[in-house]
C-alpha cells in the first residue's frame, strides 16, 4: 500500500472520532465544536496531502482513485448529516448530495468492467474543496443563518454541476 493510500485511510479513521465530537458539541459553539472543527480541518488537509504525494511520487493507483473520493464523501456527508440532524442543513440538500454521489459511484462501477477508471475531475475537486471549506465555516460560526444558507447554496450548485459534468464526459460508458 502506498503512502498516499495510507494517508487516505487515516482520513477515514478520523470520521468516527469527528462524529463523536460533533455529537458532544450538540451543534453549539464551544469546546467540542472547535475540537470537531480541528479534526475536520486535519482530515480535510489529508485530502490535499495524499493527492500531492500520489502525483509527486508517482503513487497514483486504481485503489487510490477509488478510496480518495470515497473518503471525501464519507467525511463531508458525516458533517452534513450532523448539521441535518440539528436542522441547520436541509434534508433536500443532503439528498441532492447523496444522489450525485451514488450516481457518480454507479457510473464508476459501470465503467470499471470496461477497463476505465473514472478519477476525480476538476469540478469534483472544486466541489469537494468548497464543501470542506463551507462546512468548516459552519463549524467555526455555528448559528449564523446567512452563512449557512450561502454554504448550502454553494454545496448544492457545485454538486449538481460536477455531477452533470461527470455524466457528460463519461456518457459513452453507459452505452458500450
Amino acid at each position: 500500500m502506498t503512502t498516499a493510500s495510507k494517508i487516505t485511510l487515516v482520513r477515514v479513521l478520523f470520521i468516527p472520532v469527528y462524529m463523536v465530537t460533533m455529537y458532544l458539541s450538540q451543534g453549539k459553539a464551544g469546546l467540542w465544536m472547535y475540537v470537531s472543527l480541528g479534526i475536520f480541518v486535519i482530515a480535510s488537509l489529508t485530502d490535499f496531502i495524499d493527492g500531492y504525494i500520489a502525483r509527486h511520487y508517482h503513487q497514483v493507483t486504481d485503489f487510490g482513485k477509488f478510496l480518495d473520493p470515497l473518503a471525501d464523501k464519507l467525511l463531508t456527508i458525516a458533517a452534513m448529516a450532523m448539521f441535518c440532524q440539528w436542522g441547520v442543513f436541509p434534508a433536500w440538500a443532503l439528498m441532492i448530495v447523496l444522489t450525485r454521489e451514488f450516481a457518480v459511484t454507479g457510473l464508476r462501477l459501470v465503467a470499471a468492467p470496461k477497463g476505465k477508471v473514472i478519477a476525480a475531475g476538476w469540478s469534483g475537486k472544486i466541489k469537494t474543496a468548497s464543501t470542506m471549506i463551507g462546512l468548516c465555516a459552519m463549524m467555526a460560526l455555528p448559528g449564523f443563518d446567512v452563512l449557512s444558507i450561502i454554504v448550502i447554496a454553494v454545496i448544492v450548485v457545485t454538486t449538481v454541476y460536477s455531477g452533470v459534468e461527470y455524466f457528460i464526459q463519461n456518457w459513452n460508458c453507459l452505452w458500450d
Side-chain angles (χ1 to χ4, degrees):
M1 182 177 298
T2 66
T3 302
S5 292
K6 289 176 185 174
I7 292 169
T8 304
L9 283 174
V10 168
R11 182 161 67 255
V12 173
L13 295 175
F14 271 123
I15 296 167
V17 177
Y18 168 76
M19 293 292 290
V20 168
T21 59
M22 278 293 275
Y23 180 77
L24 291 172
S25 78
Q26 299 178 357
K28 296 175 179 45
L31 174 65
W32 288 115
M33 180 61 79
Y34 299 120
V35 169
S36 300
L37 173 60
I39 293 168
F40 191 88
V41 167
I42 292 167
S44 296
L45 289 174
T46 67
D47 184 33
F48 300 102
I49 295 167
D50 65 17
Y52 173 80
I53 289 172
R55 287 184 297 278
H56 189 71
Y57 295 103
H58 308 290
Q59 295 183 5
V60 175
T61 63
D62 286 346
F63 178 69
K65 290 178 185 177
F66 165 77
L67 186 61
D68 182 67
L70 178 62
D72 296 340
K73 289 171 187 32
L74 293 172
L75 178 64
T76 56
I77 288 171
M80 288 182 253
M82 291 303 296
F83 282 121
C84 189
Q85 179 176 339
W86 297 322
V88 176
F89 200 96
W92 62 263
L94 180 56
M95 194 62 210
I96 288 171
V97 171
L98 289 171
T99 300
R100 182 260 187 215
E101 301 307 347
F102 279 114
V104 170
T105 299
L107 180 63
R108 286 183 170 125
L109 290 173
V110 168
K114 299 172 183 175
K116 184 168 183 182
V117 175
I118 301 173
W122 279 107
S123 67
K125 292 177 185 204
I126 290 168
K127 174 205 60 98
T128 299
S130 62
T131 298
M132 288 176 172
I133 291 167
L135 292 170
C136 285
M138 289 175 67
M139 285 179 262
L141 300 167
F144 284 80
D145 294 340
V146 173
L147 173 66
S148 295
I149 291 167
I150 292 167
V151 168
I152 292 162
V154 168
I155 289 171
V156 168
V157 168
T158 58
T159 295
V160 170
Y161 179 85
S162 68
V164 169
E165 183 180 73
Y166 272 95
F167 275 88
I168 289 171
Q169 290 179 349
N170 298 287
W171 191 252
N172 61 333
C173 291
L174 296 174
W175 307 114
D176 289 343

